[in-house]
Amino acid sequence: MILTTWNINGVKARLESALTYLRQHSPDVVCLQEIKSVDDAFPTPDFQDLGYNVATNGQKGFNGVAILSKSPLEDVVRGLPGDDSDQHARWIEASVPLGNRMMRVVSLYLPNGNPIGTEKFAYKLAWMTRMRRRAEQLLEDEMPLVLAGDFNVIPESVDAKRPAAWVNDALFQSESRAAWRTLVNEGFTDATRACHPGPGVYTFWDYQAGAFQKDDGIRIDHILLSSQAADLLVSSGIDRATRAQEKPSDHVPVWIKLAA
DNA sequence: ATGTCGAAGCTTCTTCGA
């Protein structure tokens, strides 16, 4: 089975691109971020026409995440637990069939956190602590678990073409990277890195200054696998061709293939 | 040299967020 994650930067602006991608690649499960749509305005029928079940956690104007699945979605949870005052739509969970058992899937959009030294950066770090706690709860279920989405963290220098350009950015702060490592050290496998060690592996290129033409990218869209899911990892990839198309998202799809 | 984009609103430009 193929699971793909993609920050589409607006489902209305990207609907035709997304439908074309899904027709071509036909992933079984799709985690979307930055849908920038309320639930009622999400183009669910268009995805249903391609055979997908749809679960959304939307918000007006910004943020918003979704999970599409060719198999029915069960036990949907909307919102990252741990802070009832947090109104941002950045987290959705669902269970989907994986062979003869079930897999838990999360589509997440981690806060950007810029500029550093503000309440936005504090929110990012607090959110990452809540994410780790929720991940610990989900790991206790001992079913295959996939955390997929825009983590807004550059884990290491090798994950940026020009790491020096990001030293004052929230995505590359030592606190952000330490929180990432703390999460990974719960026992997760970074699927992209497991399959593609080495430099030049990026998932985002800024719209500005011809970043894509210069391959001035960063790797911030990740798929983390629990040990039960990592045992099934066959391959992974990044579909950077979508970044060269008309009216692209600034992020590209990242996918894994699991044996099941 | 924020060389850009998407959404929203007292909308045809401005502001916000990324």
Side-chain angles (χ1 to χ4, degrees), chain A residues 108-177:
Chain A
L108 68 96
Y109 177 45
L110 207 150
N112 175 292
N114 280 304
I116 58 175
T118 67
E119 73 287 345
K120 292 189 174 183
F121 189 60
Y123 172 65
K124 176 183 192 134
L125 296 180
W127 201 96
M128 293 185 80
T129 298
R130 287 164 55 205
M131 173 172 65
R132 177 173 54 77
R133 294 202 178 114
R134 181 58 180 163
E136 288 169 350
Q137 289 179 336
L138 293 171
L139 286 170
E140 286 175 8
D141 295 336
E142 297 190 347
M143 65 200 283
L145 170 64
V146 177
L147 308 182
D150 177 358
F151 283 71
N152 267 318
V153 175
I154 303 167
E156 299 180 41
S157 295
V158 70
D159 296 308
K161 176 69 168 283
R162 296 185 303 129
W166 298 91
V167 293
N168 292 317
D169 193 286
L171 279 58
F172 198 49
Q173 291 307 291
S174 58
E175 296 97 326
S176 311
R177 297 160 63 202

Side-chain angles (χ1 to χ4, degrees), chain A residues 202-223:
Chain A
Y202 310 131
T203 67
F204 168 94
W205 297 261
D206 200 286
Y207 286 123
Q208 300 187 63
F212 185 62
Q213 288 68 27
K214 296 183 226 170
D215 196 22
D216 184 8
I218 53 177
R219 192 175 74 94
I220 56 175
D221 300 271
H222 307 302
I223 301 178

Side-chain angles (χ1 to χ4, degrees), chain A residues 1-167:
Chain A
M1 76 104 67
I2 303 282
L3 180 146
T4 299
T5 182
W6 192 9
N7 179 325
I8 55 173
N9 191 17
V11 70
K12 296 178 200 65
R14 218 71 58 210
L15 182 58
E16 286 311 314
S17 302
L19 295 174
T20 297
Y21 179 87
L22 296 179
R23 282 190 205 100
Q24 287 176 343
H25 295 86
S26 203
D28 300 281
V29 178
V30 185
C31 298
L32 299 176
Q33 300 87 37
E34 277 205 275
I35 63 174
K36 296 186 177 180
S37 167
V38 295
D39 294 335
D40 287 345
F42 192 82
T44 298
D46 292 285
F47 294 110
Q48 287 174 330
D49 286 348
L50 297 185
Y52 289 99
N53 299 278
V54 177
T56 60
N57 181 17
Q59 177 177 353
K60 187 195 265 189
F62 313 100
N63 305 326
V65 289
I67 302 176
L68 317 179
S69 170
K70 292 191 171 175
S71 299
L73 295 153
E74 297 181 12
D75 303 322
V76 176
V77 168
R78 293 174 177 82
L80 175 61
D83 181 358
D84 293 340
S85 70
D86 181 7
Q87 297 302 305
H88 286 204
R90 299 178 173 276
W91 183 273
I92 187 169
E93 306 173 6
S95 297
V96 298
L98 178 71
N100 55 9
R101 54 181 165 168
M102 298 297 283
M103 168 173 71
R104 193 70 174 162
V105 175
V106 179
S107 177
L108 68 96
Y109 177 45
L110 207 150
N112 175 292
N114 280 304
I116 58 175
T118 67
E119 73 287 345
K120 292 189 174 183
F121 189 60
Y123 172 65
K124 176 183 192 134
L125 296 180
W127 201 96
M128 293 185 80
T129 298
R130 287 164 55 205
M131 173 172 65
R132 177 173 54 77
R133 294 202 178 114
R134 181 58 180 163
E136 288 169 350
Q137 289 179 336
L138 293 171
L139 286 170
E140 286 175 8
D141 295 336
E142 297 190 347
M143 65 200 283
L145 170 64
V146 177
L147 308 182
D150 177 358
F151 283 71
N152 267 318
V153 175
I154 303 167
E156 299 180 41
S157 295
V158 70
D159 296 308
K161 176 69 168 283
R162 296 185 303 129
W166 298 91
V167 293

